[in-house]
Amino acid sequence: MLIKKFKKSRLSVSLAIVLGTGSAQFAMAEENNEAEKETAIEVIEVKGIKGSLYRSMDLKRGSSGVVDAISAEELGKFPDTNLAESLQRITGVTVSRANGEGSEITVRGFGPQYNLITLNGRQMPGTGYSRSYNLENLSSEAVKSLEVIKTAKADMPSGGLGATVNIVTRKPLNNPGQSFSFSAKGIYDESNVEGDDITPEVAGIYNQTLLDDTLGFLISASHQERDFQQQSANSQGWIAQTDNGQLPGADGSTFIDARARDADGNLISRFKDANGDPVSPSFFPRDMNYSINDVQRERTNAMATLQYAPSDDLVLTADYIVTRALTGINGYGWGVWNSSTSGAPLIGYELDENGTALFSNIRGGDGSFTANRSTTEVNAESIGLNIDWTLNDEWAFSLDYHDSSNKIDNGADKGIGGAGQVILGSDQLISKIYDYRGGEVPHTTINWNNGTNQLNPGAIDSNFSQFTHSPGESDIQQAQFNANWYPDFLDNLTTIDFGGSYTKQTLSGTTAWSGLRGGPGFNPSYAEIFPDSMFHLESTSGLLNELAGGGSALQPHYFYRYDFDEAVARQLAFINEGVAGENYYSADPYFDGIDSSNLIEEETSALYFTSAWEFDIGDIPINVNVGLRYEKTEVSSTVKQKVEQQVVWASASEWVTQYEAGGDDNFFTQTGEYDVWLPMIDISAEVYENLLVRVSASKTLGRPELGDMVAGRSLTGSPKVNARTGVVGNPGLLPLESVNFDLSFEYYYGDASYASIGLFSKDVSNFVSKSTNQITIDGLHDVYNSPRYLDTISQLEAAGTAVTENTIFDQMIANGYGNAAGQIEPLSTDPLIVWNVKSPVNSDKKSVEGIELAIQHVFGETGFGLGANATFVNGDVKFDSYSLVEQHPLDGLGDSANFQAFYEDDQLSVKFTYAWRDSYLIGVGQSQGSADAPPQFAKPFGQLDASVNYDITENFTVFLEGININNETEEGYGRFEEQFLFARQYGSRYMLGGRLSF
């Protein structure tokens, strides 16, 4: 059984009942020892949930500027199983998920690439060839607190346009003596099918100080394994068509068009095209597919910290952190491809009022069954040295250095050395039906030539296979010097801090692609090499059953499963050089010896100055922090650029770019530089007892995305008609600069209880937009719309044959235009290909405003507590779905809210948390969308988690945790909700374990 139905098993029902009823109070009688009370000094340590909330509130209250934090409940126990999941509890912070886990964060509407992650104040490298740090790969056992710094600080590294998140780890000398915590848990994932039903997670942390607490070391380690299944439905993109003359006329039955019309029956134009002219487009999906991925994931973390304080004035610290995450995927997919969505292949359609196809029946294209395999390894490590020296009562100095790297490699599968995808299927069909007129998942039906909706296994042929290898690495070497001066010549001046830093960030990546092997596109046919026994018929009755229209109602009702290794082996054996010539089958990503490589180096030198002032206005104490930071950045980008030779029409549905042999002459380098001044001021006043008012003004920056800064030109390797695209990088891009203003009111009315309201605005200049230009390249000619192509269409029309990509291609081959491999090569007399090439440029200015509300309340000594926060954001950075002009909105902008309820006493703690995120823009551009760069939106998402902890003894705790116990799914769409893009289902997870500490 390959598909897991997401229904509550007996175990999960039992666990959910425990989580739901665990808030019953447990009372314990405690004997008083009067003798001990008389002789001992009482030390009160607030632990558990309340202690975590109290410390977080204390940090927020005592900080300069707007800062929120989450603190560990105790040694080795953070509030959530994942740091990203913890961060989403903070006002204004939302998470993006990968594999059902929190991965990257968006703060105040600014996505992961615009938020800086630091570890103990050190800038951390992104995951692989990226600026975005993937928090799911870092365990939380040694983390003391997470600080989300929303306003600027001159003494911090720049790059956090939305916020800077500082991960603070534990230090041994801050916890004198010996302490130890060890936890073990079993993870039960409802979605799992192929892996183990119960997977382990173990973690431990040990802290020890020696020599009168002058020498200390801390060691922590964790290992987690998780097996699960991801079920999904997906469309790669929607095609906008503004020429309504190609559509068959609406007849009210076979062709239904709900777009508005005037009294004369003419369409009323509600859209603007790329030139700003009114149009009434129609939208059709490029494809529709479904998939099942069985995933095995392992994560290992370790950290060692050594501290030595030879005197009270000097502390030396060395630390080393290492992470290894391994994710293996074996998956199956099935679906359809529409070679064309123009009017000619349409047999029927139904368009809604926005022109979106809710139903379509299209000739041509193909239906396929896919097997995919990949193993991705992430290796991150960081080594750091720190010296803190207090010279005297007036001066203190610190010097910090670290060398950190983050590598990602999707070639960890030693069998194929990359990620592989095998696509088998057939183009022997009459038409394909797409139907999204009911439910949350579109249905797809193929009318095969055999007269049924089910393909016979004997007709399954090779479409194509492709193998990629794309490792990436991000490295940071950073040195920071800081001087603290506590002058006594002015009563109101408390501190002056100044210093500087040097940061070298290197980001590199390579990409190798085998090309399309094994045909491609059923040309020629190799169906005979796949025996019927190789294919196993499976039902889709359990797929996406949490969504309306999924499960037993889903169409298609079947798919074929086959062994990835067998499919590769058979094609390697039979589609050899003797049979296929230079198009022989290969599973080597470096098949043609050509690979592209990118290297970006950023060197940033910075100087800063801050001063802190304290004074009173009447009875109101005022704190002011004024600072200025100067940075200069130099950028160099070197690429190995592919040189395009020609584009061949390889099959009815596939076009392939062929390249010249590579060499050292293909390397290309471009440079850029910029400098910035970043002023800031924070003012806080306790205008009434426990009522703080904060005002902050600052300038911050966000660095351009790496993909935009890569030098050179890159054209798509699969340039299908209406998808001839490319990009030209720009290492000279300037950073996004934001002028920020914050106003907040915070009322601390009790232990661990407060309420706050905050207003913020950000005016961002140098926003990066992408201009699209149409270019031609000498030597790259186009078979499409060539004289031979147009003559063939005339032939088909004269014969009364339907004109589709399939019939055009077949007729051109019959006319003798194919080469020995059955492909159609361009002629020098053919027109040049017109490429839509995008280039990033600094352009307009945009604004974001928002309001943050938060309340945290502990009900005295009852043990009960509540917390809630919400963020509402707005601005001129939204996507206009009625414009076909290429747009540049802000990714991630959307409202969010979080809720928390808990109870705890001396033995029991119970906590429920709910995180909600409204619909938001994931990004602009769909992988197979039209050239107008359509959007990708996510639907609202709300996840409920819960945990129960019970202290068996003072040193031993048992716990039960539930993740996504409401079984929420992820859904996405294009310009409108009717333009389906994806639906994903993961199921719930439960963890049962124990923790030993002393």
Side-chain angles (χ1 to χ4, degrees), residues 603-809:
E603 295 185 66
T604 300
S605 300
L607 296 172
Y608 72 87
F609 169 89
T610 66
S611 62
W613 303 75
E614 294 180 355
F615 52 89
D616 295 335
I617 298 179
D619 295 330
I620 300 176
I622 307 292
N623 293 279
V624 178
N625 187 10
V626 180
L628 179 65
R629 186 179 183 91
Y630 170 77
E631 290 192 348
K632 182 173 183 178
T633 299
E634 297 179 345
V635 180
S636 174
S637 174
T638 301
V639 299
K640 183 178 182 181
Q641 184 169 290
K642 292 183 177 181
V643 178
E644 301 84 3
Q645 185 179 56
Q646 66 176 0
V647 174
V648 300
W649 194 5
S651 70
S653 59
E654 298 298 335
W655 297 72
V656 177
T657 303
Q658 296 178 340
Y659 301 94
E660 296 179 4
D664 293 340
D665 292 340
N666 291 350
F667 281 98
F668 179 72
T669 299
Q670 286 180 293
T671 61
E673 64 177 22
Y674 56 85
D675 61 346
V676 291
W677 293 89
L678 304 173
M680 53 78 59
I681 181 171
D682 292 323
I683 304 172
S684 64
E686 191 169 358
V687 297
Y688 187 76
E689 185 178 4
N690 296 322
L691 176 61
L692 287 180
V693 178
R694 300 185 193 272
V695 179
S696 297
S698 64
K699 185 178 181 181
T700 55
L701 66 82
R703 304 190 189 278
E705 294 188 57
L706 295 171
D708 292 338
M709 298 177 66
V710 174
R713 184 195 70 213
S714 176
L715 303 179
T716 178
S718 181
K720 299 177 175 65
V721 175
N722 296 323
R724 275 79 185 274
T725 60
V727 295
V728 174
N730 184 1
L733 285 173
L734 298 175
L736 283 71
E737 298 181 17
S738 177
V739 176
N740 316 298
F741 180 78
D742 283 79
L743 172 64
S744 68
F745 303 86
E746 303 165 8
Y747 180 44
Y748 300 90
Y749 60 88
D751 289 342
S753 297
Y754 75 93
S756 69
I757 179 172
L759 306 173
F760 65 88
S761 70
K762 293 178 177 289
D763 293 321
V764 184
S765 58
N766 292 336
F767 218 87
V768 176
S769 61
K770 294 177 182 176
S771 60
T772 301
N773 298 304
Q774 290 189 332
I775 67 170
T776 58
I777 300 171
D778 289 342
L780 295 185
H781 295 272
D782 200 351
V783 174
Y784 177 66
N785 279 341
S786 65
R788 294 173 295 164
Y789 187 95
L790 297 176
D791 288 345
T792 302
I793 292 177
S794 298
Q795 266 186 278
L796 294 172
E797 290 175 341
T801 304
V803 178
T804 68
E805 278 80 356
N806 297 63
T807 57
I808 297 172
F809 182 86

Side-chain angles (χ1 to χ4, degrees), residues 879 889-892 920-926 933-938 973 981:
F879 189 93
L890 181 63
D891 302 353
Y920 68 94
L921 179 71
I922 299 172
V924 172
Q926 300 167 3
Q936 299 180 53
F937 285 101
Y973 58 94
L981 286 180

Side-chain angles (χ1 to χ4, degrees), residues 117-124 319 384-385 400-402 478:
I117 304 294
T118 63
L119 183 68
N120 297 319
R122 301 164 175 166
Q123 182 177 340
M124 297 306 293
D319 54 57
L385 302 170
D400 188 89
Y401 173 81
H402 77 103
Q478 185 177 56

Side-chain angles (χ1 to χ4, degrees), residues 137 296-300 324-328 375-378 409 412:
N137 291 330
Q296 292 182 304
R297 176 175 167 82
E298 296 182 6
R299 186 195 68 196
T300 302
R324 180 180 183 266
L326 195 66
T327 304
T375 303
T376 301
E377 183 175 14
V378 176
D409 185 359

Side-chain angles (χ1 to χ4, degrees), residues 409-463:
D409 185 359
N410 70 337
D413 186 320
K414 303 307 179 184
I416 56 176
Q421 182 184 47
V422 178
I423 303 179
L424 308 179
S426 176
D427 60 356
Q428 300 304 301
L429 52 82
I430 301 170
S431 68
K432 309 169 304 300
I433 295 174
Y434 169 91
D435 193 345
Y436 195 34
R437 292 176 294 188
E440 298 171 294
V441 183
H443 290 189
T444 304
T445 304
I446 301 177
N447 297 312
W448 297 103
N449 286 347
N450 63 17
T452 73
N453 300 131
Q454 183 169 313
L455 184 66
N456 296 322
I460 298 178
D461 197 357
S462 170
N463 190 348

Side-chain angles (χ1 to χ4, degrees), residues 475-544:
D475 294 278
I476 288 182
Q477 295 174 320
Q478 185 177 56
Q480 300 181 87
F481 170 77
N482 182 67
N484 305 106
W485 180 28
Y486 305 93
D488 58 5
F489 62 87
L490 287 177
D491 291 338
N492 301 118
L493 178 60
T494 59
T495 60
I496 293 177
D497 297 346
F498 60 90
S501 66
Y502 170 78
T503 305
K504 181 179 181 180
Q505 183 169 16
T506 304
L507 305 114
S508 59
T510 62
T511 300
W513 179 48
S514 66
L516 306 182
R517 319 310 310 166
F522 317 106
N523 178 41
S525 174
Y526 297 110
E528 69 277 4
I529 70 175
F530 306 112
D532 290 3
S533 59
M534 177 175 154
F535 301 102
H536 306 276
L537 185 66
E538 301 286 346
S539 169
T540 65
S541 62
L543 186 75
L544 299 170

Side-chain angles (χ1 to χ4, degrees), residues 307-320:
Q307 283 190 300
Y308 178 51
S311 68
D312 293 339
D313 302 325
L314 182 63
V315 178
L316 310 176
T317 304
D319 54 57
Y320 178 71

